[in-house]
């Protein structure tokens, strides 16, 4: 029964990941096709990012204080209705202006689903490292397969149809979540008294602040957050610079650039599998993966064409291992009744730095040349490396205890 529940849960995540890639893949194309404006494409992205940042704290509170089954099912139903209405509006009215409302609703519900899944992982999987590894593996398959399927569907039915397919996937996922929680209730893993709590309106802000206080009082969480923040600054704007460097500096063809990123995706896939094979403790894996990831970024300081694929493959392989173990550590040390709020606060502290990374690294590249952005990224990861080495004794004690 338990294995059936886990398999259904993983299938649900796979379909959800593919559906999300359909949406991500087709939305910019639809906006551009109907508006012929790059500005409108950018505005849509801003709406998604701002929505996520505003909602993060409230999402954590919602996940901690209400029934996970209802949260996930309602979120998927909202996505189903939103995407179906958007497709219908395009087909019969030929207007795209509601895309901004669509971006807000899909972005908000996606973050709710992601945080709920994060909290559900310790409930579904007794082995946290194995569970996070399998979830990451499924997500990687969806992220890689989604665009491939989307490309085939566009060739046959057109780009607008992807919205309809994404809507149908959301409906299927809704049904599967119901099945997952039906099995869950029979196994007795979900305690509805914990996941459903009567809360007064005036207590909401106190509950939100309690998540922040918990993080502030945990030396480990503070250090993990600082590491993630500097890693985000070093890494989030790097892809655009790498594409520019490959195309403009080293004259890679478009097919060669695509091949490099395909290899990086495969490295992420292998990293998701390999991390679960390691028998050393999680603290050592965390340190090893992060330092190896940082070495991959520093490799970019070597001005040779083959270094870029090597660096990207290295950071993809070890970066996913670092991410899996980081999630495992947070889920292991944070009490279940506050896990949603802590995860939301953790995510907003790093998510908000993504645009800064893109802006800073792009500005450095344009003002002082592409190589200067690699130098700045190396400085950021140097700070991260020193911090994680300082944390080594604490991480070792955590793994032992």
């Amino acid at each position: 029964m338990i294995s059936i529940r886990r398999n259904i849960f993983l299938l649900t995540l796979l379909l959800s990941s593919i559906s999300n890639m359909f949406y991500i893949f087709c939305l910019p194309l639809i906006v551009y096709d109907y508006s012929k404006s790059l500005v409108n494409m950018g505005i849509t992205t801003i709406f998604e990012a701002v929505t996520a940042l505003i909602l993060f704290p409230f999402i954590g509170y919602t996940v901690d204080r209400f029934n996970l089954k209802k949260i996930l099912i309602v979120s998927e139903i909202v996505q189903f209705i939103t995407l179906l209405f958007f497709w219908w509006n395009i087909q019969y009215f030929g207007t795209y202006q509601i895309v901004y409302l669509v971006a807000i609703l899909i972005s908000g519900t996606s973050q709710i689903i992601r945080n709920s899944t994060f909290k559900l992982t310790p409930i579904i999987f007794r082995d946290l490292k194995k569970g996070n590894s399998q979830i990451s593996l499924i997500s990687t398959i969806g992220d890689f397969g989604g665009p491939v399927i989307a490309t085939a569907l566009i060739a046959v039915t057109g780009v607008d149809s992807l919205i309809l397919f994404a809507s149908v996937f959301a409906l299927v996922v809704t049904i599967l979540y119901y099945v997952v929680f039906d099995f869950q209730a029979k196994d007795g893993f979900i305690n509805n008294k914990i996941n459903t709590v009567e809360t007064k309106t005036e207590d909401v802000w106190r509950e939100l602040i309690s998540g922040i206080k918990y993080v502030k009082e945990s030396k480990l969480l503070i250090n993990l957050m600082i590491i993630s923040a500097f890693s985000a600054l070093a890494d989030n704007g790097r892809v655009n610079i790498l594409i520019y460097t490959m195309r403009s500096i080293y004259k890679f063809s478009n097919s060669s650039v695509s091949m490099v990123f395909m290899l990086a995706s495969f490295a992420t896939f292998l990293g998701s599998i390999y991390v679960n094979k390691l028998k050393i403790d999680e603290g050592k894996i965390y340190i090893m993966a992060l330092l190896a990831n940082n070495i991959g970024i520093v490799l970019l300081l070597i001005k040779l064409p083959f270094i870029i694929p090597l660096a990207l493959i290295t950071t993809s392989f070890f970066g996913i291992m670092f991410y899996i173990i980081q999630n495992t550590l947070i889920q292991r040390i944070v009490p279940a009744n506050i896990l949603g709020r802590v995860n939301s606060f953790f995510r907003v502290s790093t998510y908000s730095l993504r645009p800064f990374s893109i802006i800073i690294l792009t500005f450095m590249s344009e003002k002082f040349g592409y190589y200067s952005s690699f130098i700045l990224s190396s400085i950021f990861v140097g700070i991260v490396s020193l911090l994680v080495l300082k944390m080594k004794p604490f991480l070792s004690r955590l793994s032992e205890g």
Side-chain angles (χ1 to χ4, degrees), residues 319-353:
I320 194 63
M321 293 174 62
F322 158 72
Y323 178 75
I324 289 170
I325 296 300
Q326 178 177 264
N327 282 350
T328 301
L329 291 174
I330 295 172
Q331 290 163 345
R332 193 180 302 285
I333 67 174
V334 178
N337 66 325
I338 202 171
L339 184 57
R341 277 163 287 171
V342 170
N343 183 47
S344 284
F345 182 60
F346 193 95
R347 282 176 58 79
V348 75
S349 65
T350 55
Y351 190 89
S352 59
L353 292 174

Side-chain angles (χ1 to χ4, degrees), residues 34-75:
Y34 282 89
S35 70
K36 305 299 181 186
S37 171
L38 293 175
V39 173
N40 286 335
M41 292 173 63
I43 292 174
T44 304
T45 304
I46 291 172
F47 268 101
E48 291 175 333
V50 171
T51 299
L53 289 173
I54 292 174
L55 291 181
F56 268 139
F58 301 97
I59 289 172
Y61 169 81
T62 301
V63 169
D64 281 336
R65 287 308 184 203
F66 297 96
N67 187 280
L68 289 174
K69 175 181 178 179
K70 294 178 180 178
I71 291 171
L72 285 167
I73 289 176
V74 169
S75 297

Side-chain angles (χ1 to χ4, degrees), residues 342-373:
V342 170
N343 183 47
S344 284
F345 182 60
F346 193 95
R347 282 176 58 79
V348 75
S349 65
T350 55
Y351 190 89
S352 59
L353 292 174
R354 290 183 177 182
F356 288 103
S357 174
I358 295 172
I359 292 171
I360 292 171
L361 295 183
T362 301
F363 172 80
M364 291 289 293
S365 182
E366 291 183 352
K367 191 74 174 178
F368 305 106
Y370 78 96
Y371 193 73
S372 64
S373 64

Side-chain angles (χ1 to χ4, degrees), residues 121-259:
T121 301
I123 302 171
I124 295 283
F125 299 93
R126 298 186 187 277
D127 186 336
L128 277 178
K129 186 175 75 170
K130 182 177 180 180
N132 281 305
S133 174
Q134 290 181 352
I135 289 173
S136 175
L137 185 62
I138 289 295
S139 178
T140 301
I141 293 172
D143 290 348
F144 182 77
V148 174
I149 300 172
T151 301
L153 289 174
I154 288 175
V156 176
T157 61
V159 67
D160 295 356
S161 66
L162 280 185
I163 293 292
L164 180 60
F165 282 112
S167 176
V168 172
F169 270 52
L171 179 60
V172 173
V173 168
T174 302
I175 297 171
L176 288 176
Y177 270 130
Y178 183 85
V179 174
V180 167
F181 278 94
D182 185 46
F183 279 119
Q184 193 77 16
K186 291 176 183 177
D187 285 344
F189 279 86
I190 288 285
N191 184 341
N192 286 325
K193 292 181 180 179
I194 294 177
N195 288 277
T196 307
V197 178
E198 294 292 333
T199 307
K200 298 179 181 179
T201 304
E202 58 267 23
D203 293 333
V204 173
W205 286 109
R206 188 185 307 127
E207 293 291 336
L208 291 175
I209 293 172
S210 68
I212 298 174
K213 285 183 177 179
Y214 185 88
V215 174
K216 288 175 63 177
E217 293 171 0
S218 170
K219 183 178 180 181
L220 175 63
L221 288 175
I222 288 293
N223 283 326
L224 291 179
M225 191 177 297
I226 294 172
I227 287 171
S228 293
F230 276 101
S231 295
L233 285 173
D235 198 52
N236 287 160
R238 185 170 51 96
V239 171
N240 293 336
I241 309 300
L242 289 178
I243 292 174
Y244 167 80
T245 304
M246 284 187 284
R247 290 291 289 116
S248 299
I249 306 300
Y250 296 123
K251 308 301 181 184
F252 282 30
S253 66
N254 286 333
S255 59
S256 296
V257 173
S258 298
M259 180 60 67

